[in-house]
Amino acid sequence: MRSSRRFLRQEALLAGAVAAAVLAALAFLGLVARGDNLLYDQLVQAAPLPPANRIVIVAIDEPSLGTIGRWPWRRSLHAALLDRLRADGAKAVGYDVLFDQPSADDPLLVHAMRGMPTVLPVGFLVPGEMGSPFTPQPPVGPIAGAAAGVGQAAVAFDEDGIVRSTALVAGGGARRWPHVAELLHRAAFGRPSPAFLRLAGAALPADRFSLGEPVLVPLPHGRFATIAFDAVLRGEAPPGLFRDRIVLVGQTAPGSGDHYAVAGNAGAMPGVELLANVTAALVADELIQPAGEMPAYLLAAAALAFFVAALLAWSPRINFVLGLGLMAALVGLAALLLRYAGLWLSPAPALIALATVYPLWGWRRLAATSRYMARELARLDREPDVLMREIEGAPHAGDVIEDQITLLNRAIDRVRDLSRFLDGSLQSLPDPTLVVDADGVVLMANQAADALFADAGASPAGTPLATLMALLAPDAPTLLSATEQEFATRDGRIFTARMAARIGLDDRSGGWICRLTDITAIRVATRQREQALQLLTHDMRSPQASILALLESGGEPAALAPRIARHAQRTLDLADGFVQLARAENANYAAEPVDLAAMVVEAADDQWALAQRRHIHVECRYDSREHLVLGDRSLLCRVLVNLVNNAVKHSPDGGVVTCTVRSPEPAPDGDSSSMVRCDIEDRGPGIHDGEADAIFAAFRTGTQRAATAGVGLGLAFVGTVVRRHGGTIQCANREGGGAHFSLWLPLEDEPLPPD
């Protein structure tokens, strides 16, 4: 086990190292950057920006060129545009047009610019003149002097030729130009933008023209209100269109001016719209700062290390879901940082690493599993079959996979045969038998066990043995030991339980085999034998010995005859009671509908002579309906005769015995079943405290009723017959004196319980 775990760790580390190497190779080839750009484009387009209402574009478009004429135009037209914008309340104007050549109309433009803050771009020659790294091309002197600022509008292209970023400063060494959008922000609001203060402080190399720290800019198409140049000159602009807004002027006509490829499918973006997007991002502080390659690769390393650890800890299914979830979480994190923090932390390296390590790990784990299975299946195939099943020789198909499949099929056949053999052996056992694991949970049960616990409303498989035993027996024994234990179930049956010795290799993998044996018949036979011995050795021997003693005393026959008769009658009563009790316990009952009220009247009539001799009145109370129960008529009649006889014998002379029958009545244990109830009350001495539960046992009589006690078998007979009919008998003292016997029997539609 340790060697396999060490092997898996080595394989996981190897997969992680290969994934890191693949990531490094892709980064060297530039494929990571392409994936990064693709993810960035999709996330930016998934959260479109609202219209930028603070910026308006005045387009030098095809209609304007058709109306005014070919480019370049007279600068007096630009002066007229600035005058119109000043009159309409514009805050600042930015041009995407180079004014690097002098013109006769320059004074007009200079005059207009002094009344309307205007920012102009500067061009750059790279390499520059006279061997310099670069040469700036600012607007002509008077125009540059009248401008609110002269800035750069350099464009940064990614490896795929798409524009996604810009730089807020550009130049070389001490010669630095802010971006036109930054100068427009200052002209409109009188202060630098927050992004410029954060990002534009880095020094630029003096030996070449370079851009400052790049920042990503969302570049959606069609975000700005746009109006044609000639429409503004004709006064066709809607009222208030330019009020308190930044205006950008530039060429949008196809084939003229600068156009750039941006993300999306809307075609190339004119330079003036790109400049407008940068300005809008500065105004709304929407510029996105790249986190850089180092944080992205650190994130990839952390994700890779976590996933490699998970590969060792969890199952392939969990790891597959975890890998997908981890990828989704990385993309979600990048989207949240992009949307709410203005930070682009590329998830592409981490996604590539995760997508690489999982199939590598799966391949290595599959290879290791294949080797292990081949080795173990070959060992199993060489072992003798315990069932003596005929097995062909070792497979030699020539193909490794084919050989492994053949070995696996043969192993499955052997295991299936063994499982059938074990299950058949378990099911053939006559006693309820359970296979229990080390935690006490039932793994298997035979049909006898299923039937036993089905009566208690439980299914053995998957249930703790302690729970099953608690349902079966009120005082469930602790069975996780090898000693044999005896217990009684709730329905009165008696079982012995024995746990076989632990099976398995260790305490955690082992278990028990529990066998339950029904010894109810044995215990009943033992009890009957003991009762018979008691009857013969004591109860019947005592009156016979008394008879012999009387005969040996030599007294007068006339005086001895009544006493001998009493002892002989007692012997007959004992024999008759014992036979009746044995019949009640063992005979098969003949079930038929009988009216309990009619049988109570019959029992009262049977005891009429005895009651009349002592002037005892037996009163039967019942209504006119039938009180039908399903049972053995002769035995139930005997039960009622015994109860009435018991009440008459223990009543004082001139007393009253009351027999009441009513139905339907609820069961005494709270069950919803409907019952027939019979109450028999006398006015005798009652039952001594603590004897009510034992009075229905054989050879037991109440101590307070000893003067008129019988042989102790009549009430035992009553209890046995009532129990076997599914009923209940209870005894208590009556208020005011006397005993009160209550008998419940199921209605006719309730079947007799099984013996």
Side-chain angles (χ1 to χ4, degrees), residues 186-451:
R186 296 179 187 181
F189 302 104
R191 63 182 183 277
S193 66
F196 185 85
L197 295 176
R198 291 195 308 268
L199 304 173
L204 300 177
D207 57 345
R208 66 182 185 278
F209 176 80
S210 61
L211 302 177
E213 183 177 354
V215 287
L216 295 167
V217 185
L219 298 174
H221 284 278
R223 188 184 178 195
F224 308 99
T226 303
I227 187 170
F229 193 102
D230 67 326
V232 178
L233 293 182
R234 292 196 304 267
E236 296 176 356
L241 176 63
F242 301 112
R243 183 167 303 279
D244 294 328
R245 296 187 178 180
I246 299 173
V247 181
L248 287 164
V249 183
Q251 300 188 43
T252 62
S256 64
D258 47 352
H259 288 71
Y260 304 99
V262 295
N265 299 318
M269 177 178 287
V272 66
E273 187 177 0
L274 190 148
L275 183 58
N277 274 297
V278 178
T279 305
L282 280 176
V283 170
D285 200 15
E286 294 172 344
L287 288 176
I288 301 168
Q289 183 177 359
E293 292 185 354
M294 184 59 68
Y297 283 99
L298 288 177
L299 177 64
L304 183 61
F306 172 77
F307 194 51
V308 167
L311 292 175
L312 290 170
W314 294 317
S315 66
R317 178 182 300 178
I318 294 178
N319 285 324
F320 179 74
V321 176
L322 177 65
L324 294 179
L326 194 56
M327 289 182 176
L330 289 169
V331 175
L333 174 64
L336 291 174
L337 292 176
L338 182 66
R339 179 69 177 83
Y340 297 104
L343 180 68
W344 173 240
L345 178 60
S346 173
L351 295 178
I352 293 173
L354 294 178
T356 304
V357 73
Y358 189 80
L360 285 173
W361 165 253
W363 166 54
R364 296 307 305 157
R365 191 181 183 103
L366 183 61
T369 303
S370 177
R371 289 196 302 271
Y372 173 78
M373 286 183 59
R375 183 174 64 251
E376 293 301 316
L377 288 172
R379 288 178 56 189
L380 178 62
D381 196 64
R382 291 192 296 269
E383 293 178 0
D385 191 347
V386 296
L387 300 180
M388 305 301 293
R389 186 171 179 270
E390 188 68 26
I391 299 179
E392 301 175 357
H396 294 289
D399 181 74
V400 175
I401 301 299
E402 182 102 13
D403 288 346
Q404 291 183 5
I405 292 175
T406 302
L407 288 172
L408 181 60
N409 287 333
R410 289 164 61 167
I412 291 173
D413 289 340
R414 295 178 66 173
V415 171
R416 186 179 292 117
D417 290 344
L418 183 59
S419 176
R420 291 170 180 169
F421 173 76
L422 293 176
D423 184 67
S425 300
L426 181 65
Q427 297 299 333
S428 65
L429 296 176
D431 292 333
T433 306
L434 307 133
V435 178
V436 185
D437 67 10
D439 295 322
V441 178
V442 176
L443 300 177
M444 298 174 62
N446 64 356
Q447 295 178 357
D450 288 336

